[in-house]
């Protein structure tokens, strides 16, 4: 973390703590405490909704998990309240993982319904199972936090909430301003593209749910311990909506959005508490306002008004990762880098690949061509794990990869671009390329969360490599521009740069010249040749025959899912079956 930011957070926290000390009113202290509680809920929810893009309406259930865990552990098991608070975070985190599993199969409104069902089940459980949870009567005598045997006063609770909020902000900032934050944002943008650069979509979804659950569980435990009482009235669907509103109104996807939302909405909640019907109407109106009229929230509005101009990245030398002929060095030029052996793919009666076999030689430029509907993109998708072959074997460096997940295949050394652009359009050009570096970075969760020196070194090295790659593809001056704002031809280059950042042994290009004008196509051909000279093997699916014939060393031709020819460009140009496939038998 940057030292100036750390000092700023400490200074602001001390200022708020001093203000609380000067306040001689328990009601105002309660409002300050609830701001801290709601900030914890919103900070974790921001990771889940604002960064990972997973819609959740089950936060009340996670809040309840923390609250009742702390209540039961201190009353029924006589556990120390500090230990109970830590245990409540663990219990809530496990519940978060539990409701995350359905997210592996559903998304969007269906995921929201699953999480809503979880919240309703928890609400019914704590209200109906009176023997354990006390129902409407609740659980009394919950042990509060204490120091040297002296329970926290209201002022102490405010100070504790401020300290915990500051630590949460610093930790999440460490996590989200680096490798993990980019990975979460890639889930929201395009899960298939995220997998293609080595992001494990399922793992990061579960992690986002876990983070949101832990912070919400801690908040619930704090409320239960501060009140020394909890009942089913604490856990309602209204709470889930309120926590979601904290994020959306404050500004989802912004580190300061949860804080802004917590401060403003807690004040509004206090002002409207004596008019419950007006209170609910106000929340609905604010939710609609945040969704339709201010989609980036208050934080987004402030950033738009007072945002600063981003600093351009430093242009650095070409990284070593682009230079060595990794594939040729590891297996020898005489052995195939990729071996496709009698591979077929069936979708019911449709057969886009039928008993296809070919081999790719390390260090060469290969082309996979054929008329529309020949099965070329299907073959690329099977090689990269998007599709699983019905039969046959695909071996990369001698290892069978058929049916392997895309992010694993990327880590093995296969990078790709897509027929239809799959950029992370709202991220900058540099962030897109840094996502390509994701699978090559070694800083794990705890190192990133705590901003350990090893994590900072990995980030610095990733930026150095990304900047050098951008220089290689002539995009260094556009590093901080949103990728989706660039002309189509430059977006194609960004996607190619992102694929290069995965440090592939084999680079698959699915119609890289689609939509390019003749000049851009010629420049692309020169760039592909330049990349191949770095020792990277290339397999290109392309319809521009001039480009294919001018830069390819070896060509494979498909027609209706069947391989009809294979050989050098000269041999393919004179092959009667190829001419017939493209021009028809009569023309041939």
């Amino acid at each position: 973390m940057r030292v100036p930011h750390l000092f700023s957070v400490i200074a602001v926290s001390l200022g708020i703590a001093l203000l609380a000390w000067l306040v001689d009113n328990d009601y105002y202290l309660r409002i300050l405490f609830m701001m801290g509680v709601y900030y914890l809920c919103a900070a974790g929810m921001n990771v889940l909704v604002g960064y990972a893009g997973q819609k959740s309406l089950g936060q009340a259930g996670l809040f309840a998990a923390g609250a009742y865990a702390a209540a039961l552990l201190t009353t029924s098991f006589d556990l120390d309240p500090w230990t109970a608070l830590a245990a409540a975070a663990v219990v809530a985190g496990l519940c978060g993982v539990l409701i995350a599993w359905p997210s592996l199969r559903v998304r969007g409104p269906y995921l929201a319904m699953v999480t809503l069902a979880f919240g309703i089940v928890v609400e019914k459980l704590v209200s109906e199972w009176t023997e354990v949870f006390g129902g409407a009567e609740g659980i009394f005598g919950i042990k509060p936090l204490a120091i040297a045997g002296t329970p926290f006063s209201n002022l102490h609770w405010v100070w504790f909430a401020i300290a915990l909020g500051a630590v949460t902000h610093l930790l999440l900032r460490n996590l989200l301003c680096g490798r993990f934050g980019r990975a979460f944002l890639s889930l929201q943008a395009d899960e298939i593209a995220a997998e293609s650069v080595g992001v494990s979509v399922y793992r990061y979804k579960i992690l986002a749910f876990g983070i949101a659950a832990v912070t919400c569980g801690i908040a619930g435990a704090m409320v239960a311990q501060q009140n020394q009482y909890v009942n089913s009235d604490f856990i309602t669907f209204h709470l889930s909506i309120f926590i979601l509103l904290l994020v959306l109104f404050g500004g989802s996807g912004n580190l300061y959005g949860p804080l802004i939302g917590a401060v403003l909405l807690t004040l509004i909640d206090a002002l409207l508490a004596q008019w419950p019907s007006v209170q609910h109407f106000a929340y609905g109106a604010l939710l609609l306002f945040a969704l339709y009229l201010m989609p980036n929230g208050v934080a987004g509005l402030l950033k738009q008004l007072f945002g600063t101009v981003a600093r351009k990245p430093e242009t650095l030398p070409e990284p070593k990762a682009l230079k060595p002929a990794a594939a040729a060095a590891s297996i020898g030029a005489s052995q195939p880098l990729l071996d496709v052996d009698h591979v077929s793919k069936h979708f019911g009666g449709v057969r886009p690949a039928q008993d296809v076999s070919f081999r790719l030689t390390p260090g060469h430029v290969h082309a996979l061509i054929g008329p529309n509907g020949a099965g070329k993109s299907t073959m690329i998708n099977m090689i990269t794990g998007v599709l699983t072959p019905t039969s046959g074997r695909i071996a990369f460096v001698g290892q069978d990869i058929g049916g392997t997940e895309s992010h694993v295949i990327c880590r093995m050394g296969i990078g790709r671009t897509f027929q239809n652009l799959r950029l992370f359009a709202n991220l900058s050009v540099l962030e897109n390329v840094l996502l390509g570096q994701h699978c090559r970075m070694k800083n794990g969760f705890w190192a990133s969360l705590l901003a350990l020196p090893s994590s900072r070194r990995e980030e610095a090295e990733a930026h150095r490599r990304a900047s050098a790659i951008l220089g290689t593809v002539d995009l260094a001056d556009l590093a901080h521009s949103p990728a989706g704002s660039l002309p189509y031809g430059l977006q194609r280059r960004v996607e190619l740069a992102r694929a290069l950042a995965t440090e592939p042994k084999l680079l698959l290009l699915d119609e890289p010249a689609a939509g390019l004008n003749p000049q851009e196509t010629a420049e692309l051909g020169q760039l592909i040749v330049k990349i191949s000279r770095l020792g990277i093997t290339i397999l290109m699916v392309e319809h521009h025959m001039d480009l294919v014939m001018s830069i390819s060393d070896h060509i494979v031709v498909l027609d209706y899912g069947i391989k009809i020819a294979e050989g050098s460009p000269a041999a393919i140009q004179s092959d009667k079956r190829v001419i017939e496939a493209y021009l028809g038998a009569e023309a041939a």
Side-chain angles (χ1 to χ4, degrees):
M1 76 184 64
R2 294 180 180 176
V3 174
H5 182 77
L6 174 62
F7 287 157
S8 298
V9 172
I10 293 175
V12 171
S13 300
L14 290 176
I16 299 173
L18 178 61
L19 176 65
W21 180 67
L22 295 175
V23 172
D24 188 19
N25 185 302
D26 286 344
Y27 176 70
Y28 294 149
L29 290 176
R30 173 71 179 179
I31 291 176
L32 288 174
F33 172 71
M34 291 308 299
M35 285 182 183
V37 168
Y38 288 140
Y39 170 71
L40 289 175
C41 294
M45 187 69 165
N46 188 38
V47 176
L48 181 63
V49 176
Y51 280 81
Q54 305 302 300
K55 305 299 184 288
S56 175
L57 292 173
Q59 299 309 106
L62 300 173
F63 188 93
Y68 278 94
L72 293 172
L73 289 173
T74 57
T75 56
S76 300
F77 298 94
D78 197 29
L79 200 65
D80 176 76
W82 289 98
T83 306
L85 178 63
V90 174
V91 170
L94 293 175
C95 290
V97 172
L98 176 65
I99 65 172
W101 285 114
S103 74
L104 308 186
R105 296 185 177 274
V106 298
R107 63 188 68 177
Y110 300 103
L111 176 59
M113 294 302 293
V114 170
T115 58
L116 173 60
F118 169 79
I120 293 174
V121 167
V122 171
E123 182 181 351
K124 291 296 182 183
L125 187 67
V126 299
S127 61
E128 301 294 338
W129 197 357
T130 56
E131 294 83 358
V132 176
F133 300 106
E137 294 184 2
I139 300 175
F140 294 86
I142 302 170
K143 292 181 182 179
L145 297 182
I147 298 179
T150 303
F152 275 14
S153 66
N154 287 334
L155 179 59
H156 292 150
W157 277 110
V158 173
W159 284 350
F160 180 67
I162 292 171
L164 201 56
V167 170
T168 300
H169 168 76
L170 292 172
L171 292 177
L172 289 181
R173 184 176 185 271
N174 292 340
L175 190 72
L176 298 175
C177 289
R179 177 179 183 237
F180 282 78
R182 292 189 295 269
F184 287 136
L185 289 171
S186 72
L187 302 187
Q188 182 175 171
D190 190 323
E191 292 183 9
I192 293 177
E195 285 272 355
S196 77
V197 295
V199 176
S200 175
V201 169
Y202 293 167
R203 175 191 172 194
Y204 278 89
K205 281 184 178 181
I206 291 174
L207 181 60
F209 269 99
I211 292 171
V214 167
T215 60
C216 212
I218 292 174
M222 288 172 59
V223 169
Q225 291 178 319
Q226 198 263 354
N227 286 294
Q228 300 180 48
Y229 166 72
V230 65
N231 74 347
S232 57
D233 292 339
F234 284 69
I235 316 303
T236 63
F237 176 65
H238 164 75
L239 178 61
S240 291
I241 294 297
F242 186 76
I243 294 173
L244 179 62
L245 181 58
L246 291 171
V247 177
L248 296 180
F249 184 74
S252 64
N254 187 300
L255 279 172
Y256 300 97
L259 178 60
I260 295 171
V263 172
L264 294 180
L265 291 178
T266 303
L267 291 175
I268 293 173
D269 184 65
L271 291 172
L272 299 179
Q274 56 185 324
W275 302 296
S277 59
V278 176
Q279 188 181 42
H280 295 164
F281 174 79
Y283 293 153
L286 286 173
L287 184 59
L288 291 175
F289 180 76
L291 288 173
Y292 292 103
L293 298 179
M294 199 169 55
N296 295 321
V298 176
L301 180 61
L302 294 176
K303 184 178 180 180
Q304 184 179 356
L305 294 175
F306 305 107
T308 57
V309 179
R311 179 175 60 88
K312 289 186 178 181
E314 180 184 357
T315 301
L316 297 170
E318 188 174 277
K320 294 180 181 179
L322 290 179
K323 290 185 177 180
S330 61
I331 65 172
S334 62
Q335 300 179 11
L337 177 65
L338 184 79
D339 188 358
V340 177
D341 186 23
H342 299 287
V343 169
S344 298
K345 180 63 180 178
H346 302 163
F347 298 100
V350 180
R351 301 186 175 188
Q354 301 179 50
D355 199 34
V356 177
S357 298
F358 60 84
R359 293 182 171 185
L360 303 185
T361 305
H364 288 193
V365 177
H366 303 262
L368 185 63
I369 67 172
N372 289 328
K376 306 181 294 298
S377 292
T378 299
M379 182 59 64
I380 294 291
N381 286 335
M382 286 192 288
I383 295 172
T384 55
V386 177
L387 297 175
T388 301
T390 303
S391 62
R393 180 175 184 266
I394 301 176
F396 179 66
V397 198
Q399 184 175 350
D400 191 350
I401 60 172
T404 304
E405 293 179 303
S406 296
H407 69 274
V408 177
I409 290 176
C410 177
R411 291 193 182 101
M412 294 173 66
I414 298 180
R416 71 165 296 177
T417 64
F418 292 87
Q419 179 180 0
N420 298 316
L421 275 173
R422 284 186 176 272
L423 285 178
F424 306 119
N426 291 329
L427 301 184
S428 70
V429 172
L430 177 60
E431 287 170 328
N432 270 267
V433 179
L434 285 172
L435 270 163
Q437 276 281 293
H438 177 88
C439 63
R440 303 303 169 198
M441 299 176 70
K442 300 177 182 178
N443 49 317
F445 175 78
W446 293 109
S448 298
L449 185 70
L450 301 174
L452 298 181
S454 60
S455 177
R456 296 198 296 269
R457 285 195 298 270
E458 285 290 327
E459 281 292 326
E461 179 63 15
H463 276 78
R464 188 185 73 82
R465 291 177 179 174
S467 297
I469 291 170
L470 289 175
T472 301
V473 298
D474 297 325
L475 289 173
D477 293 338
L478 299 170
H480 287 285
S481 300
S485 69
L486 300 182
Y488 185 81
L490 293 181
Q491 290 188 39
R492 282 285 181 188
R493 283 185 177 247
V494 174
E495 191 177 42
L496 178 57
R498 187 182 68 189
L500 280 175
T502 65
E503 300 178 21
K505 297 177 182 178
L506 172 62
L507 180 59
L508 307 180
L509 305 177
D510 196 352
E511 298 194 26
L516 303 186
N517 61 40
Q519 180 181 349
E520 291 172 333
T521 301
E523 292 173 351
L524 174 66
Q526 295 171 4
L527 181 58
I528 292 174
V529 171
K530 180 180 179 181
I531 292 169
S532 70
R533 288 173 180 170
L534 296 172
I536 299 173
T537 305
I538 293 174
L539 176 61
M540 174 177 61
V541 171
E542 189 50 69
H543 286 292
H544 286 72
M545 289 300 103
D546 290 343
L547 175 63
V548 170
M549 298 302 169
S550 64
I551 67 173
S552 299
D553 301 306
H554 180 263
I555 300 174
V556 176
V557 187
L558 299 181
D559 187 28
Y560 292 108
I562 301 172
K563 187 182 79 173
I564 61 172
E566 181 178 8
S568 66
I572 294 300
Q573 284 178 312
S574 60
D575 191 291
K576 293 182 179 179
R577 291 170 299 177
V578 176
I579 297 172
E580 180 179 340
Y582 273 95
L583 301 179
E586 184 176 346

